[in-house]
Amino acid sequence: MKYFILFGPPGAGKGTQASSMVEKYNLHHISTGELLRKEIAAGSELGLKAKSLIDAGSLVPDEIVEGMIESEFRSVKNVAGFLLDGFPRTTAQAEALDKMLAKTGEEVTAVVSIMIPDEMIKERIRHRASIEGRADDAKEETINNRIKTYHDKTEPLVGFYRNAGKYNEIDGVGTIDEVRSKICGLMDKF
Ligand code: ADP
């Protein structure tokens, strides 16, 4: 199995690009944000716990998302691999992922990082808010906190995966098609 990590700040276009990548490379897309929003919509206990944290622009506890990821790995077969979107988001999650995969003698294949500048993060999120109506896209304060959380907790993963020789970065500024073709140029190598 191949394990690709789609990395980048909120609003970088991970979800948009993921849909064409899963089709082209026969991958199963796992978006922890989407899985959490499903739990919220279903009104589950986990969803209730996650909602206030997501609405504040904070991260949900590592154990919650790690459990979600492991159960997806176990339940999905007949694909060439997985595309992780929004996970890992902390160094602890990255270490947990390595341990999870090591159990079956596997490892992360590559990180595909889509980078955009901070000013563009807000612009993209504002645009998405008008289309998707996500609660965490609506408030300026929540968006600011998500950007801060990204820099504080998630950005250190760039160094983590660079050290592991798995980090690949592409410029996320451009049209959807332009970014897609850069991603494909990279993914074709693995
Ligand atoms: P975005 O790409 O805009 O950051 P996501 O849909 O990936 O949005 O995530 C939405 C929210 O869900 C995050 O702000 C966070 O609160 C929560 N979340 C998603 N993935 C994780 C994760 N791996 N660890 C902790 N919290 C997460």
PDB file of all heavy atoms in Angstrom, residues 8-15 31-34 36-37 50 53-55 57-62 65-66 69 85-90 93 125 128 134 136-137 146 149, ligand 1:
ATOM      1  N   GLY A   8      -0.486  21.034   3.924  1.00  0.00           N
ATOM      2  CA  GLY A   8      -0.587  22.449   3.564  1.00  0.00           C
ATOM      3  C   GLY A   8      -1.481  23.186   4.524  1.00  0.00           C
ATOM      4  O   GLY A   8      -2.251  22.561   5.257  1.00  0.00           O
ATOM      5  N   PRO A   9      -1.418  24.505   4.529  1.00  0.00           N
ATOM      6  CA  PRO A   9      -2.250  25.293   5.438  1.00  0.00           C
ATOM      7  C   PRO A   9      -3.728  25.181   5.085  1.00  0.00           C
ATOM      8  O   PRO A   9      -4.078  24.739   3.989  1.00  0.00           O
ATOM      9  CB  PRO A   9      -1.745  26.725   5.221  1.00  0.00           C
ATOM     10  CG  PRO A   9      -1.097  26.727   3.897  1.00  0.00           C
ATOM     11  CD  PRO A   9      -0.561  25.350   3.680  1.00  0.00           C
ATOM     12  N   PRO A  10      -4.612  25.605   6.007  1.00  0.00           N
ATOM     13  CA  PRO A  10      -6.034  25.606   5.678  1.00  0.00           C
ATOM     14  C   PRO A  10      -6.262  26.444   4.424  1.00  0.00           C
ATOM     15  O   PRO A  10      -5.626  27.483   4.251  1.00  0.00           O
ATOM     16  CB  PRO A  10      -6.706  26.275   6.890  1.00  0.00           C
ATOM     17  CG  PRO A  10      -5.665  26.566   7.889  1.00  0.00           C
ATOM     18  CD  PRO A  10      -4.335  26.149   7.348  1.00  0.00           C
ATOM     19  N   GLY A  11      -7.140  25.969   3.570  1.00  0.00           N
ATOM     20  CA  GLY A  11      -7.451  26.752   2.372  1.00  0.00           C
ATOM     21  C   GLY A  11      -6.455  26.596   1.236  1.00  0.00           C
ATOM     22  O   GLY A  11      -6.596  27.226   0.198  1.00  0.00           O
ATOM     23  N   ALA A  12      -5.452  25.725   1.396  1.00  0.00           N
ATOM     24  CA  ALA A  12      -4.429  25.582   0.342  1.00  0.00           C
ATOM     25  C   ALA A  12      -4.976  24.883  -0.897  1.00  0.00           C
ATOM     26  O   ALA A  12      -4.371  24.941  -1.966  1.00  0.00           O
ATOM     27  CB  ALA A  12      -3.218  24.830   0.869  1.00  0.00           C
ATOM     28  N   GLY A  13      -6.103  24.199  -0.725  1.00  0.00           N
ATOM     29  CA  GLY A  13      -6.704  23.508  -1.871  1.00  0.00           C
ATOM     30  C   GLY A  13      -6.536  21.999  -1.783  1.00  0.00           C
ATOM     31  O   GLY A  13      -6.632  21.297  -2.791  1.00  0.00           O
ATOM     32  N   LYS A  14      -6.308  21.493  -0.578  1.00  0.00           N
ATOM     33  CA  LYS A  14      -6.078  20.049  -0.411  1.00  0.00           C
ATOM     34  C   LYS A  14      -7.292  19.241  -0.847  1.00  0.00           C
ATOM     35  O   LYS A  14      -7.172  18.302  -1.618  1.00  0.00           O
ATOM     36  CB  LYS A  14      -5.720  19.726   1.052  1.00  0.00           C
ATOM     37  CG  LYS A  14      -4.473  20.447   1.550  1.00  0.00           C
ATOM     38  CD  LYS A  14      -4.045  19.972   2.930  1.00  0.00           C
ATOM     39  CE  LYS A  14      -4.986  20.357   4.039  1.00  0.00           C
ATOM     40  NZ  LYS A  14      -5.023  21.794   4.383  1.00  0.00           N
ATOM     41  N   GLY A  15      -8.460  19.629  -0.331  1.00  0.00           N
ATOM     42  CA  GLY A  15      -9.680  18.891  -0.668  1.00  0.00           C
ATOM     43  C   GLY A  15      -9.967  18.909  -2.164  1.00  0.00           C
ATOM     44  O   GLY A  15     -10.321  17.891  -2.755  1.00  0.00           O
ATOM     45  N   SER A  31     -10.080  12.371   4.709  1.00  0.00           N
ATOM     46  CA  SER A  31      -9.999  13.742   5.220  1.00  0.00           C
ATOM     47  C   SER A  31     -10.513  13.730   6.648  1.00  0.00           C
ATOM     48  O   SER A  31     -11.693  13.465   6.887  1.00  0.00           O
ATOM     49  CB  SER A  31     -10.845  14.680   4.361  1.00  0.00           C
ATOM     50  OG  SER A  31     -11.179  15.846   5.093  1.00  0.00           O
ATOM     51  N   THR A  32      -9.612  13.993   7.606  1.00  0.00           N
ATOM     52  CA  THR A  32     -10.049  13.972   9.013  1.00  0.00           C
ATOM     53  C   THR A  32     -11.080  15.083   9.257  1.00  0.00           C
ATOM     54  O   THR A  32     -12.033  14.886  10.014  1.00  0.00           O
ATOM     55  CB  THR A  32      -8.855  14.107   9.979  1.00  0.00           C
ATOM     56  OG1 THR A  32      -7.940  15.076   9.466  1.00  0.00           O
ATOM     57  CG2 THR A  32      -8.152  12.789  10.153  1.00  0.00           C
ATOM     58  N   GLY A  33     -10.926  16.230   8.587  1.00  0.00           N
ATOM     59  CA  GLY A  33     -11.901  17.315   8.740  1.00  0.00           C
ATOM     60  C   GLY A  33     -13.292  16.862   8.296  1.00  0.00           C
ATOM     61  O   GLY A  33     -14.287  17.081   8.984  1.00  0.00           O
ATOM     62  N   GLU A  34     -13.339  16.163   7.150  1.00  0.00           N
ATOM     63  CA  GLU A  34     -14.633  15.682   6.650  1.00  0.00           C
ATOM     64  C   GLU A  34     -15.226  14.627   7.575  1.00  0.00           C
ATOM     65  O   GLU A  34     -16.419  14.628   7.849  1.00  0.00           O
ATOM     66  CB  GLU A  34     -14.456  15.052   5.264  1.00  0.00           C
ATOM     67  CG  GLU A  34     -14.909  15.960   4.145  1.00  0.00           C
ATOM     68  CD  GLU A  34     -14.512  15.410   2.786  1.00  0.00           C
ATOM     69  OE1 GLU A  34     -14.704  14.202   2.533  1.00  0.00           O
ATOM     70  OE2 GLU A  34     -13.967  16.199   1.992  1.00  0.00           O
ATOM     71  N   LEU A  36     -14.743  14.349  10.729  1.00  0.00           N
ATOM     72  CA  LEU A  36     -15.226  15.031  11.941  1.00  0.00           C
ATOM     73  C   LEU A  36     -16.535  15.760  11.673  1.00  0.00           C
ATOM     74  O   LEU A  36     -17.450  15.730  12.496  1.00  0.00           O
ATOM     75  CB  LEU A  36     -14.163  16.017  12.456  1.00  0.00           C
ATOM     76  CG  LEU A  36     -12.906  15.362  13.070  1.00  0.00           C
ATOM     77  CD1 LEU A  36     -11.786  16.392  13.234  1.00  0.00           C
ATOM     78  CD2 LEU A  36     -13.235  14.726  14.419  1.00  0.00           C
ATOM     79  N   ARG A  37     -16.649  16.397  10.498  1.00  0.00           N
ATOM     80  CA  ARG A  37     -17.901  17.098  10.178  1.00  0.00           C
ATOM     81  C   ARG A  37     -19.066  16.117  10.051  1.00  0.00           C
ATOM     82  O   ARG A  37     -20.194  16.433  10.415  1.00  0.00           O
ATOM     83  CB  ARG A  37     -17.743  17.946   8.906  1.00  0.00           C
ATOM     84  CG  ARG A  37     -16.954  19.246   9.172  1.00  0.00           C
ATOM     85  CD  ARG A  37     -16.970  20.180   7.973  1.00  0.00           C
ATOM     86  NE  ARG A  37     -16.114  19.723   6.895  1.00  0.00           N
ATOM     87  CZ  ARG A  37     -14.781  19.902   6.842  1.00  0.00           C
ATOM     88  NH1 ARG A  37     -14.158  20.538   7.816  1.00  0.00           N
ATOM     89  NH2 ARG A  37     -14.079  19.444   5.832  1.00  0.00           N
ATOM     90  N   ALA A  50     -15.970  17.295  19.415  1.00  0.00           N
ATOM     91  CA  ALA A  50     -15.138  17.962  18.411  1.00  0.00           C
ATOM     92  C   ALA A  50     -15.669  19.352  18.041  1.00  0.00           C
ATOM     93  O   ALA A  50     -14.898  20.254  17.745  1.00  0.00           O
ATOM     94  CB  ALA A  50     -15.063  17.101  17.146  1.00  0.00           C
ATOM     95  N   LEU A  53     -14.300  22.609  19.651  1.00  0.00           N
ATOM     96  CA  LEU A  53     -12.881  22.808  19.323  1.00  0.00           C
ATOM     97  C   LEU A  53     -12.726  23.299  17.892  1.00  0.00           C
ATOM     98  O   LEU A  53     -11.980  24.233  17.609  1.00  0.00           O
ATOM     99  CB  LEU A  53     -12.110  21.490  19.511  1.00  0.00           C
ATOM    100  CG  LEU A  53     -11.990  21.030  20.968  1.00  0.00           C
ATOM    101  CD1 LEU A  53     -11.598  19.565  21.047  1.00  0.00           C
ATOM    102  CD2 LEU A  53     -10.981  21.895  21.716  1.00  0.00           C
ATOM    103  N   ILE A  54     -13.445  22.677  16.974  1.00  0.00           N
ATOM    104  CA  ILE A  54     -13.365  23.068  15.558  1.00  0.00           C
ATOM    105  C   ILE A  54     -13.887  24.491  15.376  1.00  0.00           C
ATOM    106  O   ILE A  54     -13.267  25.302  14.693  1.00  0.00           O
ATOM    107  CB  ILE A  54     -14.153  22.071  14.677  1.00  0.00           C
ATOM    108  CG1 ILE A  54     -13.454  20.709  14.699  1.00  0.00           C
ATOM    109  CG2 ILE A  54     -14.291  22.581  13.248  1.00  0.00           C
ATOM    110  CD1 ILE A  54     -14.159  19.617  13.930  1.00  0.00           C
ATOM    111  N   ASP A  55     -14.996  24.799  16.038  1.00  0.00           N
ATOM    112  CA  ASP A  55     -15.563  26.151  15.927  1.00  0.00           C
ATOM    113  C   ASP A  55     -14.619  27.211  16.484  1.00  0.00           C
ATOM    114  O   ASP A  55     -14.666  28.369  16.081  1.00  0.00           O
ATOM    115  CB  ASP A  55     -16.919  26.231  16.640  1.00  0.00           C
ATOM    116  CG  ASP A  55     -18.015  25.513  15.846  1.00  0.00           C
ATOM    117  OD1 ASP A  55     -17.748  25.138  14.686  1.00  0.00           O
ATOM    118  OD2 ASP A  55     -19.120  25.316  16.380  1.00  0.00           O
ATOM    119  N   GLY A  57     -11.384  26.947  16.149  1.00  0.00           N
ATOM    120  CA  GLY A  57     -10.170  26.933  15.328  1.00  0.00           C
ATOM    121  C   GLY A  57      -9.035  26.184  15.995  1.00  0.00           C
ATOM    122  O   GLY A  57      -7.869  26.337  15.623  1.00  0.00           O
ATOM    123  N   SER A  58      -9.378  25.353  17.001  1.00  0.00           N
ATOM    124  CA  SER A  58      -8.345  24.545  17.673  1.00  0.00           C
ATOM    125  C   SER A  58      -8.344  23.140  17.086  1.00  0.00           C
ATOM    126  O   SER A  58      -9.232  22.790  16.315  1.00  0.00           O
ATOM    127  CB  SER A  58      -8.648  24.443  19.170  1.00  0.00           C
ATOM    128  OG  SER A  58      -8.824  25.720  19.715  1.00  0.00           O
ATOM    129  N   LEU A  59      -7.376  22.338  17.502  1.00  0.00           N
ATOM    130  CA  LEU A  59      -7.322  20.952  17.028  1.00  0.00           C
ATOM    131  C   LEU A  59      -8.111  20.068  17.979  1.00  0.00           C
ATOM    132  O   LEU A  59      -8.207  20.349  19.179  1.00  0.00           O
ATOM    133  CB  LEU A  59      -5.871  20.463  16.990  1.00  0.00           C
ATOM    134  CG  LEU A  59      -4.931  21.174  16.014  1.00  0.00           C
ATOM    135  CD1 LEU A  59      -3.533  20.572  16.104  1.00  0.00           C
ATOM    136  CD2 LEU A  59      -5.455  21.061  14.580  1.00  0.00           C
ATOM    137  N   VAL A  60      -8.664  18.982  17.467  1.00  0.00           N
ATOM    138  CA  VAL A  60      -9.283  17.992  18.342  1.00  0.00           C
ATOM    139  C   VAL A  60      -8.152  17.091  18.862  1.00  0.00           C
ATOM    140  O   VAL A  60      -7.070  17.056  18.276  1.00  0.00           O
ATOM    141  CB  VAL A  60     -10.386  17.181  17.617  1.00  0.00           C
ATOM    142  CG1 VAL A  60     -11.430  18.086  16.981  1.00  0.00           C
ATOM    143  CG2 VAL A  60      -9.799  16.272  16.561  1.00  0.00           C
ATOM    144  N   PRO A  61      -8.389  16.374  19.984  1.00  0.00           N
ATOM    145  CA  PRO A  61      -7.297  15.581  20.566  1.00  0.00           C
ATOM    146  C   PRO A  61      -6.727  14.544  19.588  1.00  0.00           C
ATOM    147  O   PRO A  61      -7.469  13.950  18.801  1.00  0.00           O
ATOM    148  CB  PRO A  61      -7.961  14.892  21.765  1.00  0.00           C
ATOM    149  CG  PRO A  61      -9.133  15.756  22.104  1.00  0.00           C
ATOM    150  CD  PRO A  61      -9.610  16.338  20.802  1.00  0.00           C
ATOM    151  N   ASP A  62      -5.422  14.346  19.676  1.00  0.00           N
ATOM    152  CA  ASP A  62      -4.720  13.399  18.790  1.00  0.00           C
ATOM    153  C   ASP A  62      -5.377  12.020  18.769  1.00  0.00           C
ATOM    154  O   ASP A  62      -5.566  11.436  17.697  1.00  0.00           O
ATOM    155  CB  ASP A  62      -3.256  13.236  19.247  1.00  0.00           C
ATOM    156  CG  ASP A  62      -2.427  14.491  18.999  1.00  0.00           C
ATOM    157  OD1 ASP A  62      -2.805  15.305  18.130  1.00  0.00           O
ATOM    158  OD2 ASP A  62      -1.380  14.651  19.671  1.00  0.00           O
ATOM    159  N   VAL A  65      -8.421  11.600  16.296  1.00  0.00           N
ATOM    160  CA  VAL A  65      -8.155  11.476  14.855  1.00  0.00           C
ATOM    161  C   VAL A  65      -7.324  10.230  14.549  1.00  0.00           C
ATOM    162  O   VAL A  65      -7.523   9.588  13.517  1.00  0.00           O
ATOM    163  CB  VAL A  65      -7.470  12.737  14.274  1.00  0.00           C
ATOM    164  CG1 VAL A  65      -8.479  13.844  14.059  1.00  0.00           C
ATOM    165  CG2 VAL A  65      -6.325  13.227  15.105  1.00  0.00           C
ATOM    166  N   GLU A  66      -6.429   9.851  15.456  1.00  0.00           N
ATOM    167  CA  GLU A  66      -5.627   8.645  15.228  1.00  0.00           C
ATOM    168  C   GLU A  66      -6.538   7.414  15.143  1.00  0.00           C
ATOM    169  O   GLU A  66      -6.351   6.553  14.276  1.00  0.00           O
ATOM    170  CB  GLU A  66      -4.594   8.474  16.353  1.00  0.00           C
ATOM    171  CG  GLU A  66      -3.442   9.474  16.243  1.00  0.00           C
ATOM    172  CD  GLU A  66      -2.662   9.671  17.534  1.00  0.00           C
ATOM    173  OE1 GLU A  66      -2.783   8.835  18.455  1.00  0.00           O
ATOM    174  OE2 GLU A  66      -1.943  10.683  17.625  1.00  0.00           O
ATOM    175  N   ILE A  69      -8.307   7.340  11.770  1.00  0.00           N
ATOM    176  CA  ILE A  69      -7.404   6.940  10.689  1.00  0.00           C
ATOM    177  C   ILE A  69      -7.184   5.423  10.705  1.00  0.00           C
ATOM    178  O   ILE A  69      -7.288   4.752   9.677  1.00  0.00           O
ATOM    179  CB  ILE A  69      -6.034   7.658  10.849  1.00  0.00           C
ATOM    180  CG1 ILE A  69      -6.173   9.155  10.577  1.00  0.00           C
ATOM    181  CG2 ILE A  69      -4.950   7.018   9.990  1.00  0.00           C
ATOM    182  CD1 ILE A  69      -6.220   9.548   9.120  1.00  0.00           C
ATOM    183  N   ASP A  85      -5.478  13.553   4.140  1.00  0.00           N
ATOM    184  CA  ASP A  85      -5.705  14.992   3.946  1.00  0.00           C
ATOM    185  C   ASP A  85      -6.118  15.582   5.297  1.00  0.00           C
ATOM    186  O   ASP A  85      -7.163  15.238   5.833  1.00  0.00           O
ATOM    187  CB  ASP A  85      -6.799  15.111   2.863  1.00  0.00           C
ATOM    188  CG  ASP A  85      -7.485  16.462   2.786  1.00  0.00           C
ATOM    189  OD1 ASP A  85      -7.108  17.390   3.508  1.00  0.00           O
ATOM    190  OD2 ASP A  85      -8.440  16.564   1.980  1.00  0.00           O
ATOM    191  N   GLY A  86      -5.240  16.411   5.862  1.00  0.00           N
ATOM    192  CA  GLY A  86      -5.541  17.002   7.178  1.00  0.00           C
ATOM    193  C   GLY A  86      -5.000  16.168   8.329  1.00  0.00           C
ATOM    194  O   GLY A  86      -5.247  16.464   9.492  1.00  0.00           O
ATOM    195  N   PHE A  87      -4.275  15.134   8.017  1.00  0.00           N
ATOM    196  CA  PHE A  87      -3.636  14.273   9.017  1.00  0.00           C
ATOM    197  C   PHE A  87      -2.313  13.793   8.447  1.00  0.00           C
ATOM    198  O   PHE A  87      -2.284  13.406   7.280  1.00  0.00           O
ATOM    199  CB  PHE A  87      -4.524  13.066   9.334  1.00  0.00           C
ATOM    200  CG  PHE A  87      -3.907  12.122  10.351  1.00  0.00           C
ATOM    201  CD1 PHE A  87      -4.168  12.273  11.700  1.00  0.00           C
ATOM    202  CD2 PHE A  87      -3.029  11.114   9.945  1.00  0.00           C
ATOM    203  CE1 PHE A  87      -3.580  11.423  12.636  1.00  0.00           C
ATOM    204  CE2 PHE A  87      -2.436  10.271  10.871  1.00  0.00           C
ATOM    205  CZ  PHE A  87      -2.722  10.429  12.211  1.00  0.00           C
ATOM    206  N   PRO A  88      -1.225  13.778   9.201  1.00  0.00           N
ATOM    207  CA  PRO A  88      -1.075  14.278  10.579  1.00  0.00           C
ATOM    208  C   PRO A  88      -1.002  15.792  10.634  1.00  0.00           C
ATOM    209  O   PRO A  88      -0.609  16.439   9.664  1.00  0.00           O
ATOM    210  CB  PRO A  88       0.251  13.651  11.025  1.00  0.00           C
ATOM    211  CG  PRO A  88       1.023  13.437   9.779  1.00  0.00           C
ATOM    212  CD  PRO A  88       0.019  13.165   8.708  1.00  0.00           C
ATOM    213  N   ARG A  89      -1.399  16.333  11.791  1.00  0.00           N
ATOM    214  CA  ARG A  89      -1.400  17.776  11.997  1.00  0.00           C
ATOM    215  C   ARG A  89      -0.541  18.180  13.180  1.00  0.00           C
ATOM    216  O   ARG A  89      -0.420  19.367  13.464  1.00  0.00           O
ATOM    217  CB  ARG A  89      -2.833  18.205  12.264  1.00  0.00           C
ATOM    218  CG  ARG A  89      -3.431  19.147  11.244  1.00  0.00           C
ATOM    219  CD  ARG A  89      -4.867  19.411  11.674  1.00  0.00           C
ATOM    220  NE  ARG A  89      -5.456  20.519  11.003  1.00  0.00           N
ATOM    221  CZ  ARG A  89      -6.242  20.415   9.931  1.00  0.00           C
ATOM    222  NH1 ARG A  89      -6.485  19.257   9.372  1.00  0.00           N
ATOM    223  NH2 ARG A  89      -6.773  21.496   9.428  1.00  0.00           N
ATOM    224  N   THR A  90       0.016  17.205  13.880  1.00  0.00           N
ATOM    225  CA  THR A  90       0.948  17.480  14.985  1.00  0.00           C
ATOM    226  C   THR A  90       2.076  16.446  14.881  1.00  0.00           C
ATOM    227  O   THR A  90       1.899  15.389  14.238  1.00  0.00           O
ATOM    228  CB  THR A  90       0.279  17.294  16.369  1.00  0.00           C
ATOM    229  OG1 THR A  90      -0.136  15.911  16.496  1.00  0.00           O
ATOM    230  CG2 THR A  90      -0.935  18.189  16.549  1.00  0.00           C
ATOM    231  N   GLN A  93       0.971  13.137  16.138  1.00  0.00           N
ATOM    232  CA  GLN A  93       0.175  12.366  15.163  1.00  0.00           C
ATOM    233  C   GLN A  93       1.073  11.723  14.114  1.00  0.00           C
ATOM    234  O   GLN A  93       0.833  10.587  13.684  1.00  0.00           O
ATOM    235  CB  GLN A  93      -0.856  13.269  14.465  1.00  0.00           C
ATOM    236  CG  GLN A  93      -2.007  13.707  15.365  1.00  0.00           C
ATOM    237  CD  GLN A  93      -2.977  14.657  14.678  1.00  0.00           C
ATOM    238  OE1 GLN A  93      -2.997  14.779  13.455  1.00  0.00           O
ATOM    239  NE2 GLN A  93      -3.787  15.348  15.463  1.00  0.00           N
ATOM    240  N   ILE A 125     -10.322  30.999   2.026  1.00  0.00           N
ATOM    241  CA  ILE A 125     -11.334  30.569   2.998  1.00  0.00           C
ATOM    242  C   ILE A 125     -12.600  31.411   2.859  1.00  0.00           C
ATOM    243  O   ILE A 125     -13.716  30.887   2.912  1.00  0.00           O
ATOM    244  CB  ILE A 125     -10.778  30.613   4.445  1.00  0.00           C
ATOM    245  CG1 ILE A 125      -9.729  29.508   4.629  1.00  0.00           C
ATOM    246  CG2 ILE A 125     -11.898  30.448   5.469  1.00  0.00           C
ATOM    247  CD1 ILE A 125      -9.092  29.444   5.996  1.00  0.00           C
ATOM    248  N   ARG A 128     -14.448  30.092  -0.055  1.00  0.00           N
ATOM    249  CA  ARG A 128     -15.082  28.802   0.244  1.00  0.00           C
ATOM    250  C   ARG A 128     -16.319  28.992   1.130  1.00  0.00           C
ATOM    251  O   ARG A 128     -17.307  28.284   0.983  1.00  0.00           O
ATOM    252  CB  ARG A 128     -14.057  27.892   0.944  1.00  0.00           C
ATOM    253  CG  ARG A 128     -14.575  26.499   1.228  1.00  0.00           C
ATOM    254  CD  ARG A 128     -13.463  25.566   1.638  1.00  0.00           C
ATOM    255  NE  ARG A 128     -12.934  25.879   2.951  1.00  0.00           N
ATOM    256  CZ  ARG A 128     -11.839  25.328   3.460  1.00  0.00           C
ATOM    257  NH1 ARG A 128     -11.159  24.444   2.777  1.00  0.00           N
ATOM    258  NH2 ARG A 128     -11.420  25.667   4.649  1.00  0.00           N
ATOM    259  N   ARG A 134     -19.278  26.312   5.657  1.00  0.00           N
ATOM    260  CA  ARG A 134     -18.698  25.681   6.842  1.00  0.00           C
ATOM    261  C   ARG A 134     -18.645  26.674   8.006  1.00  0.00           C
ATOM    262  O   ARG A 134     -18.185  27.797   7.829  1.00  0.00           O
ATOM    263  CB  ARG A 134     -17.271  25.214   6.529  1.00  0.00           C
ATOM    264  CG  ARG A 134     -17.195  23.763   6.132  1.00  0.00           C
ATOM    265  CD  ARG A 134     -15.828  23.395   5.656  1.00  0.00           C
ATOM    266  NE  ARG A 134     -14.785  23.619   6.636  1.00  0.00           N
ATOM    267  CZ  ARG A 134     -13.520  23.275   6.453  1.00  0.00           C
ATOM    268  NH1 ARG A 134     -13.164  22.672   5.339  1.00  0.00           N
ATOM    269  NH2 ARG A 134     -12.624  23.511   7.375  1.00  0.00           N
ATOM    270  N   ASP A 136     -16.708  26.841  10.512  1.00  0.00           N
ATOM    271  CA  ASP A 136     -15.368  27.321  10.902  1.00  0.00           C
ATOM    272  C   ASP A 136     -14.746  28.244   9.852  1.00  0.00           C
ATOM    273  O   ASP A 136     -13.650  28.757  10.036  1.00  0.00           O
ATOM    274  CB  ASP A 136     -14.429  26.150  11.246  1.00  0.00           C
ATOM    275  CG  ASP A 136     -14.197  25.197  10.083  1.00  0.00           C
ATOM    276  OD1 ASP A 136     -14.983  25.200   9.107  1.00  0.00           O
ATOM    277  OD2 ASP A 136     -13.214  24.429  10.152  1.00  0.00           O
ATOM    278  N   ASP A 137     -15.449  28.453   8.728  1.00  0.00           N
ATOM    279  CA  ASP A 137     -14.972  29.396   7.708  1.00  0.00           C
ATOM    280  C   ASP A 137     -15.613  30.771   7.886  1.00  0.00           C
ATOM    281  O   ASP A 137     -15.252  31.730   7.214  1.00  0.00           O
ATOM    282  CB  ASP A 137     -15.335  28.895   6.291  1.00  0.00           C
ATOM    283  CG  ASP A 137     -14.403  27.782   5.815  1.00  0.00           C
ATOM    284  OD1 ASP A 137     -13.353  27.586   6.435  1.00  0.00           O
ATOM    285  OD2 ASP A 137     -14.744  27.135   4.811  1.00  0.00           O
ATOM    286  N   ARG A 146      -7.067  29.307  13.336  1.00  0.00           N
ATOM    287  CA  ARG A 146      -6.651  28.148  12.531  1.00  0.00           C
ATOM    288  C   ARG A 146      -5.281  28.400  11.904  1.00  0.00           C
ATOM    289  O   ARG A 146      -4.451  27.490  11.817  1.00  0.00           O
ATOM    290  CB  ARG A 146      -7.690  27.847  11.447  1.00  0.00           C
ATOM    291  CG  ARG A 146      -8.875  27.081  12.021  1.00  0.00           C
ATOM    292  CD  ARG A 146     -10.094  27.221  11.155  1.00  0.00           C
ATOM    293  NE  ARG A 146      -9.968  26.562   9.873  1.00  0.00           N
ATOM    294  CZ  ARG A 146     -10.749  26.839   8.825  1.00  0.00           C
ATOM    295  NH1 ARG A 146     -11.677  27.776   8.925  1.00  0.00           N
ATOM    296  NH2 ARG A 146     -10.593  26.180   7.709  1.00  0.00           N
ATOM    297  N   THR A 149      -2.782  28.087  14.704  1.00  0.00           N
ATOM    298  CA  THR A 149      -2.623  26.663  15.058  1.00  0.00           C
ATOM    299  C   THR A 149      -1.763  25.964  14.004  1.00  0.00           C
ATOM    300  O   THR A 149      -0.901  25.151  14.325  1.00  0.00           O
ATOM    301  CB  THR A 149      -4.010  25.972  15.146  1.00  0.00           C
ATOM    302  OG1 THR A 149      -4.806  26.672  16.092  1.00  0.00           O
ATOM    303  CG2 THR A 149      -3.889  24.521  15.560  1.00  0.00           C
TER     304      THR A 149
HETATM  305  P1  ADP B   1      -8.734  22.953   6.676  1.00  0.00           P
HETATM  306  O1  ADP B   1      -8.123  22.250   5.504  1.00  0.00           O
HETATM  307  O2  ADP B   1      -9.473  24.188   6.277  1.00  0.00           O
HETATM  308  O3  ADP B   1      -7.760  23.148   7.791  1.00  0.00           O
HETATM  309  P2  ADP B   1     -10.062  20.541   7.657  1.00  0.00           P
HETATM  310  O4  ADP B   1     -11.366  20.163   7.067  1.00  0.00           O
HETATM  311  O5  ADP B   1      -8.862  19.739   7.307  1.00  0.00           O
HETATM  312  O6  ADP B   1      -9.878  22.072   7.283  1.00  0.00           O
HETATM  313  O7  ADP B   1     -10.162  20.576   9.249  1.00  0.00           O
HETATM  314  C1  ADP B   1     -11.179  21.310   9.919  1.00  0.00           C
HETATM  315  C2  ADP B   1     -10.945  21.257  11.434  1.00  0.00           C
HETATM  316  O8  ADP B   1     -11.041  19.890  11.900  1.00  0.00           O
HETATM  317  C3  ADP B   1      -9.564  21.718  11.906  1.00  0.00           C
HETATM  318  O9  ADP B   1      -9.483  23.126  12.052  1.00  0.00           O
HETATM  319  C4  ADP B   1      -9.451  20.972  13.243  1.00  0.00           C
HETATM  320  O10 ADP B   1     -10.205  21.610  14.262  1.00  0.00           O
HETATM  321  C5  ADP B   1     -10.122  19.633  12.960  1.00  0.00           C
HETATM  322  N1  ADP B   1      -9.131  18.617  12.502  1.00  0.00           N
HETATM  323  C6  ADP B   1      -9.032  18.102  11.253  1.00  0.00           C
HETATM  324  N2  ADP B   1      -8.011  17.232  11.179  1.00  0.00           N
HETATM  325  C7  ADP B   1      -7.434  17.205  12.405  1.00  0.00           C
HETATM  326  C8  ADP B   1      -6.317  16.535  12.961  1.00  0.00           C
HETATM  327  N3  ADP B   1      -5.557  15.698  12.238  1.00  0.00           N
HETATM  328  N4  ADP B   1      -6.015  16.750  14.272  1.00  0.00           N
HETATM  329  C9  ADP B   1      -6.746  17.576  15.009  1.00  0.00           C
HETATM  330  N5  ADP B   1      -7.801  18.264  14.563  1.00  0.00           N
HETATM  331  C10 ADP B   1      -8.161  18.092  13.272  1.00  0.00           C
END
